Coordinates of all heavy atoms in Angstrom, one line a residue:
Chain F
N148 N 20.1 -21.8 -5.9 CA 21.4 -21.4 -5.4 C 21.4 -19.9 -4.8 O 20.9 -19.0 -5.7 CB 22.6 -21.5 -6.5 CG 22.4 -23.0 -7.0 OD1 22.5 -24.0 -6.2 ND2 22.3 -23.1 -8.4
I149 N 22.0 -19.8 -3.7 CA 21.9 -18.4 -3.1 C 23.3 -17.8 -2.8 O 23.9 -18.5 -1.9 CB 20.9 -18.4 -1.9 CG1 19.5 -18.8 -2.3 CG2 20.9 -16.9 -1.2 CD1 19.0 -20.0 -1.5
I150 N 23.6 -16.8 -3.3 CA 24.8 -16.0 -2.9 C 24.6 -15.2 -1.7 O 23.6 -14.4 -1.7 CB 25.3 -15.1 -4.1 CG1 25.4 -15.8 -5.4 CG2 26.6 -14.3 -3.6 CD1 26.7 -16.6 -5.5
V151 N 25.4 -15.5 -0.6 CA 25.1 -14.7 0.6 C 26.3 -13.8 0.8 O 27.4 -14.3 0.8 CB 24.9 -15.6 1.8 CG1 24.6 -14.9 3.1 CG2 23.7 -16.6 1.5
E152 N 26.0 -12.6 1.1 CA 27.1 -11.6 1.4 C 26.8 -11.1 2.7 O 25.6 -10.7 3.1 CB 27.0 -10.5 0.4 CG 28.1 -9.4 0.4 CD 29.5 -10.0 0.0 OE1 29.5 -11.0 -0.8 OE2 30.5 -9.6 0.6
S153 N 27.7 -11.3 3.6 CA 27.5 -10.8 5.1 C 28.4 -9.5 5.2 O 29.5 -9.4 5.0 CB 27.9 -11.9 6.1 OG 29.3 -12.2 5.8
K154 N 27.5 -8.5 5.8 CA 28.1 -7.2 6.0 C 27.9 -6.7 7.4 O 26.9 -6.9 8.0 CB 27.5 -6.1 5.0 CG 27.7 -6.4 3.7 CD 29.1 -6.2 3.2 CE 29.3 -6.5 1.7 NZ 30.7 -6.3 1.2
H155 N 29.0 -6.1 8.0 CA 29.0 -5.9 9.4 C 29.4 -4.3 9.6 O 30.3 -3.9 9.1 CB 30.1 -6.8 10.0 CG 30.1 -6.7 11.5 ND1 30.8 -5.9 12.3 CD2 29.4 -7.6 12.4 CE1 30.6 -6.3 13.5 NE2 29.8 -7.3 13.5
R156 N 28.4 -3.6 10.0 CA 28.7 -2.0 10.1 C 28.1 -1.4 11.3 O 27.2 -1.9 11.9 CB 28.0 -1.4 8.9 CG 28.5 -1.7 7.4 CD 29.8 -1.0 7.1 NE 30.2 -1.2 5.9 CZ 30.8 -2.4 5.4 NH1 31.1 -3.3 6.2 NH2 31.3 -2.5 4.1
K157 N 28.7 -0.3 11.7 CA 28.1 0.6 12.7 C 26.8 1.2 12.1 O 26.8 1.3 10.9 CB 29.2 1.7 13.1 CG 30.3 1.0 13.9 CD 31.1 2.3 14.5 CE 32.3 1.7 15.3 NZ 31.9 0.9 16.3
W158 N 25.9 1.7 12.9 CA 24.7 2.4 12.4 C 25.0 3.5 11.5 O 24.4 3.7 10.4 CB 23.8 2.7 13.5 CG 22.6 3.5 13.2 CD1 22.2 4.8 13.5 CD2 21.6 2.9 12.3 NE1 21.1 5.0 12.9 CE2 20.6 3.9 12.2 CE3 21.4 1.8 11.5 CZ2 19.5 3.8 11.3 CZ3 20.3 1.6 10.7 CH2 19.3 2.6 10.6
A159 N 26.1 4.4 11.9 CA 26.4 5.5 11.1 C 26.9 5.0 9.7 O 27.0 5.9 8.8 CB 27.5 6.3 11.8
G160 N 27.5 3.8 9.6 CA 28.0 3.4 8.3 C 27.0 2.8 7.4 O 27.3 2.2 6.4
I161 N 25.7 2.6 7.8 CA 24.7 2.1 7.0 C 23.8 3.3 6.4 O 23.3 4.2 7.1 CB 23.7 1.2 7.9 CG1 24.5 0.0 8.3 CG2 22.6 0.7 7.0 CD1 23.9 -0.9 9.4
S162 N 23.7 3.4 5.1 CA 23.0 4.5 4.3 C 22.5 3.8 3.1 O 22.8 2.7 2.8 CB 23.9 5.6 4.2 OG 25.0 5.2 3.2
T163 N 21.8 4.6 2.3 CA 21.3 4.3 1.1 C 22.5 3.9 0.2 O 22.5 2.9 -0.5 CB 20.4 5.2 0.4 OG1 19.2 5.5 1.3 CG2 19.9 4.8 -1.0
S164 N 23.5 4.8 0.2 CA 24.7 4.5 -0.8 C 25.4 3.2 -0.3 O 25.9 2.5 -1.2 CB 25.6 5.7 -0.8 OG 26.0 6.0 0.5
T165 N 25.6 2.9 0.9 CA 26.3 1.7 1.3 C 25.4 0.5 0.9 O 26.0 -0.5 0.3 CB 26.6 1.7 2.8 OG1 25.4 2.0 3.6 CG2 27.7 2.6 3.2
I166 N 24.1 0.5 1.1 CA 23.3 -0.6 0.8 C 23.3 -0.7 -0.7 O 23.4 -1.9 -1.3 CB 21.9 -0.6 1.4 CG1 21.9 -0.3 2.8 CG2 21.0 -1.6 0.9 CD1 20.5 0.0 3.5
Q167 N 23.3 0.4 -1.4 CA 23.3 0.3 -2.9 C 24.6 -0.4 -3.4 O 24.6 -1.2 -4.3 CB 23.3 1.8 -3.4 CG 23.2 1.8 -5.0 CD 21.9 1.3 -5.6 OE1 20.9 1.8 -5.4 NE2 22.0 0.2 -6.2

Side-chain angles (χ1 to χ4, degrees):
Chain F
N148 303 306
I149 300 126
I150 302 287
V151 179
E152 189 66 29
S153 52
K154 299 289 184 188
H155 194 269
R156 292 286 185 279
K157 288 190 180 302
W158 177 238
I161 298 173
S162 65
T163 297
S164 64
T165 49
I166 300 171
Q167 183 69 63

